[in-house]
Amino acid sequence: MPKFVIEQSEPLRGEVEISGSKNAVLPIMAATLLTDDVCEINDVPHLTDVLVMCDILRSMGAKVNEDWKTHSLIIDNSGLNTSEAPSELVKKMRASFFIMGPLLARTGRASIALPGGCSIGNRPIDLHNKGLRQLGAVIRIEQGKVDAMIEQPKGALVYLDFPSVGATENIMMAATLATGVTTIENAAEEPEIVDLANFLNKMGAKIKGAGTDTIKIEGVSKLHGTRHAVIPDRIETGTFMIAAAITRGDILIKNAVPDHVRPMIAKLMECGVIVNDEVDGLRVRGDIRNLVATDIKTLPYPGFPTDMQSLFMSFLTTVEGTSTVIETVFENRFMHAAELSRMGANIEVNGRKATIPGNVYQLKGARVASTDLRGGAALVLAGLVAEGKTEVTEIYHIERGYEDFAYKLQSLGAKITREDD
Ligand code: EPZ
């Protein structure tokens, strides 16, 4: 099994290019099921999760042409020949459940394995099912499968008890081909929702309000193919902002979208990091001031993103003063804390709250295991400043969501190699 081997490195300096957003491209790929025309998607990140979604679409009859020189996908679903997604592929990735809404709207049926939970939480789908039922779907869950049927989706008023990203996306996609208007209240507001709505509207959908807590979808009879470039990944952007802060370096993050990372800019500046929105990117400097503690509370967008929590925690172990981190979105997203503590961080976790005694001890290199995608990346960043050598195993988690992670860090001066364990 491959691992990352990281040596204590100099402050990272230079510039880095952010890849397309994983959490935007996955629902957009699912949305291509809504038409039998050809769709072209550009700025696609070369990630294992994207390759799994390509295989899921192919297994259902799609023609998917991958061009990793241009980072483009050409997807043709005219050959869609089933309403059943292959369980062994669906179980690999929770985001496969995004095909439920479009498949239901396109074919009137969908049979998909229950998406596995994962280490950060049990990840229920009750809000997805609530919304799809309100559009008229009959949904049965038995033997680990979700079986859904619908005559013709009908517009409805759907209130989400929690602004679930995936539920908002599934319901929005299904509603594009419903008769009448669907309103989603307490909808998720993430930039990835806006990118999906932009893609759907380019296909001929009529969606208003994406990016706010109320989204209106006026159903249409048919959608057509289109071409779309995916937004840059705001969590990868945040990851390299932390890389500059934790190593006390100076990194220019090209093609970053400042509006998508406002909470990270604000919290890093509270710690003394300098973040400037320059002409050719976001410049992040951790080398100017003495960096100090702050407190973080994760919330749905536009609050501080849960996906950045573990990365920020790594950084907080290196600053003066004690910080607290409260995780309100997932019920079990502190597993990286135990691994960081093995590197000398001594983080105390109590339910949804973690207390980080900053800079009490110089982090020491250790052999640690990735527990999830973002937790694994957090351990790599900690390894950059830990004394000696750090080995991060189970890196398949990391490679689900970060394109060329080691290469991009090496280009900034990091001592990191990918080796077989
Ligand atoms: C998306 O997951 C992202 N994944 C996650 O990113 C991200 O952490 C999450 O949104 C929150 O921002 C993709 O977009 C592929 P949710 P999703 O539905 O849609 C509860 C990463 O690292 N909930 O907003 O699954 C759920 O249990 C990944 O890139 C219900 O109770 O997240 C959780 O506590 C990790 N019932 C909360 O809502 C439901 O039906 C947020 O989940 C659905 C969700």
Side-chain angles (χ1 to χ4, degrees):
M1 292 285 273
K3 63 187 176 186
F4 285 134
V5 179
I6 305 118
E7 303 280 347
Q8 187 171 19
S9 304
E10 292 300 309
L12 298 192
R13 293 189 191 294
E15 54 185 56
V16 67
E17 188 94 24
I18 298 300
S19 302
S21 163
K22 167 179 87 79
N23 292 348
V25 75
L26 291 173
I28 285 173
M29 290 172 72
T32 63
L33 286 165
L34 289 163
T35 179
D36 50 15
D37 283 359
V38 176
C39 291
E40 178 178 339
I41 310 171
N42 299 314
D43 295 346
V44 178
H46 196 185
L47 303 170
T48 45
D49 273 9
V50 168
L51 300 179
V52 168
M53 187 62 92
C54 288
D55 287 344
I56 289 173
L57 294 175
R58 285 190 186 107
S59 73
M60 300 169 71
K63 281 204 288 302
V64 181
N65 177 38
E66 301 168 31
D67 179 343
W68 297 113
K69 280 193 299 304
T70 60
H71 279 79
S72 297
L73 296 176
I74 308 274
I75 302 178
D76 171 358
N77 277 304
S78 57
L80 182 66
N81 55 27
T82 174
S83 297
E84 178 134 9
S87 297
E88 70 285 352
L89 285 174
V90 166
K91 285 194 173 8
K92 282 187 179 177
M93 176 181 68
R94 174 181 170 73
S96 338
F97 201 66
F98 289 155
I99 62 175
M100 170 63 90
L103 197 55
L104 204 47
R106 169 89 182 275
T107 69
R109 274 217 63 199
S111 175
I112 301 180
L114 265 176
C118 62
S119 47
I120 61 177
N122 72 13
R123 317 289 291 272
I125 53 166
D126 55 312
L127 296 176
H128 297 244
N129 293 340
K130 170 184 177 182
L132 295 174
R133 283 191 174 111
Q134 286 186 260
L135 294 179
V138 175
I139 300 177
R140 282 199 332 274
I141 298 180
E142 50 200 34
Q143 281 122 26
K145 272 190 104 123
V146 183
D147 254 315
M149 307 264 287
I150 199 163
E151 290 299 312
Q152 162 62 32
K154 285 181 196 55
L157 169 61
V158 178
Y159 172 79
L160 291 179
D161 304 68
F162 182 89
S164 153
V165 171
T168 301
E169 292 169 338
N170 246 332
I171 297 158
M172 185 164 75
M173 287 189 277
T176 55
L177 295 179
T179 46
V181 175
T182 298
T183 303
I184 307 175
E185 291 188 341
N186 198 29
E189 304 178 29
E190 276 75 358
E192 294 78 28
I193 308 271
V194 176
D195 208 29
L196 174 61
N198 289 340
F199 177 73
L200 290 166
N201 282 340
K202 282 161 78 170
M203 291 172 80
K206 290 183 180 161
I207 300 170
K208 287 196 175 63
T212 75
D213 64 1
T214 305
I215 301 177
K216 275 193 187 318
I217 306 105
E218 187 186 335
V220 296
S221 54
K222 197 170 164 44
L223 294 179
H224 54 73
T226 189
R227 172 185 299 177
H228 182 77
V230 168
I231 54 171
D233 193 308
R234 64 190 167 99
I235 306 302
E236 185 189 15
T237 302
T239 301
F240 282 96
M241 293 170 75
I242 297 290
I246 197 170
T247 62
R248 305 314 187 255
D250 175 358
I251 299 179
L252 178 68
I253 305 175
K254 303 175 68 164
N255 78 314
V257 178
D259 266 355
H260 293 174
V261 289
R262 290 278 165 233
M264 272 80 83
I265 294 173
K267 298 309 280 186
L268 281 174
M269 288 182 73
E270 278 176 25
C271 297
V273 176
I274 307 293
V275 184
N276 282 320
D277 182 4
E278 297 187 353
V279 169
D280 41 6
L282 204 57
R283 188 159 178 206
V284 184
R285 302 197 65 171
D287 58 344
I288 304 282
R289 296 206 194 113
N290 180 39
L291 303 185
V292 295
T294 189
D295 298 321
I296 299 284
K297 180 176 187 180
T298 68
L299 286 168
Y301 196 91
F304 188 92
T306 173
D307 290 350
M308 282 302 305
Q309 179 257 106
S310 55
L311 293 141
F312 215 95
M313 187 184 282
S314 278
F315 164 61
L316 291 173
T317 67
T318 70
V319 301
E320 251 168 59
T322 298
S323 304
T324 60
V325 172
I326 297 177
E327 170 60 57
T328 73
V329 177
F330 287 105
E331 64 270 29
N332 183 35
R333 204 170 192 174
F334 281 142
M335 289 151 306
H336 48 279
E339 299 300 303
L340 286 169
S341 292
R342 294 180 58 237
M343 298 172 74
N346 291 346
I347 297 165
E348 188 194 322
V349 172
N350 185 356
R352 296 254 182 164
K353 182 175 179 179
T355 304
I356 299 108
N359 216 14
V360 178
Y361 307 92
Q362 160 67 37
L363 290 178
K364 299 266 186 307
R367 181 178 164 90
V368 288
S370 299
T371 50
D372 63 284
L373 161 56
R374 309 300 174 184
L379 296 172
V380 170
L381 298 190
L384 294 173
V385 294
E387 221 163 68
K389 179 170 90 169
T390 298
E391 293 189 341
V392 178
T393 62
E394 317 287 307
I395 62 170
Y396 63 89
H397 285 293
I398 301 173
E399 296 185 325
R400 287 185 48 205
Y402 287 95
E403 183 180 36
D404 298 336
F405 194 44
Y407 171 74
K408 289 185 180 183
L409 287 168
Q410 284 160 359
S411 67
L412 295 166
K415 292 180 193 143
I416 176 172
T417 53
R418 185 179 191 278
E419 299 176 14
D420 273 334
D421 197 11

